Amino acid sequence: MDAAERRRELVGAIVAARKDDESVVFEAADARVTYENRTLCLSVTDEERDRLEALLDDYHVFKVEQPATRKAEPGVVYLSAVTDAKHAADFVDSLFSEVYGADEGYDIRVR
């Protein structure tokens, strides 16, 4: 799957989740990201958390949700994702490649 196909799939899944008011789970690179109600939920190690903070500097519209993240299990981060579906898909794709280290041609699983 190339990057354009992957992003189209991500956009479609996010649009459908919003329309149906349901959650969608993205899995790749032994990582899982859940999108629900304009919020992303992900688990990160300390090293991945540092990479996430760097990524958030490039995507200013995404913010760590507090107090949800403080109350969550260690390593669980909630991010507000109040943006259009394309921008959210771009961010999710970047999460897998830049935070979780997925290869350039990685495949995404959507559930």
Side-chain angles (χ1 to χ4, degrees):
M1 173 179 297
D2 69 18
E5 292 171 319
R6 190 172 53 244
R7 289 199 177 175
R8 278 193 297 276
E9 188 167 347
L10 289 166
V11 168
I14 291 168
V15 168
R18 287 179 177 177
K19 179 180 172 261
D20 298 336
D21 197 27
E22 294 184 353
S23 66
V24 62
V25 176
F26 304 108
E27 295 176 325
D30 297 326
R32 175 182 168 161
V33 174
T34 303
Y35 176 92
E36 182 176 14
N37 194 26
R38 298 187 185 262
T39 297
L40 293 167
C41 177
L42 51 141
S43 295
V44 292
T45 64
D46 289 342
E47 185 178 298
E48 290 166 343
R49 179 66 185 254
D50 291 342
R51 292 193 299 261
L52 173 62
E53 294 296 332
L55 183 63
L56 290 172
D57 288 342
D58 294 335
Y59 287 87
H60 300 288
V61 71
F62 295 88
K63 307 283 185 212
V64 175
E65 288 188 352
Q66 301 293 358
T69 298
R70 274 195 310 273
K71 293 179 180 178
E73 295 291 322
V76 174
V77 177
Y78 290 91
L79 301 172
S80 65
V82 182
T83 187
D84 62 90
K86 183 192 176 309
H87 199 67
D90 290 346
F91 182 77
V92 170
D93 190 42
S94 294
L95 274 174
F96 284 110
S97 61
E98 296 179 33
V99 174
Y100 294 118
D103 295 332
E104 185 177 317
Y106 78 91
D107 287 331
I108 191 101
R109 293 174 303 284
V110 178
R111 307 190 280 122

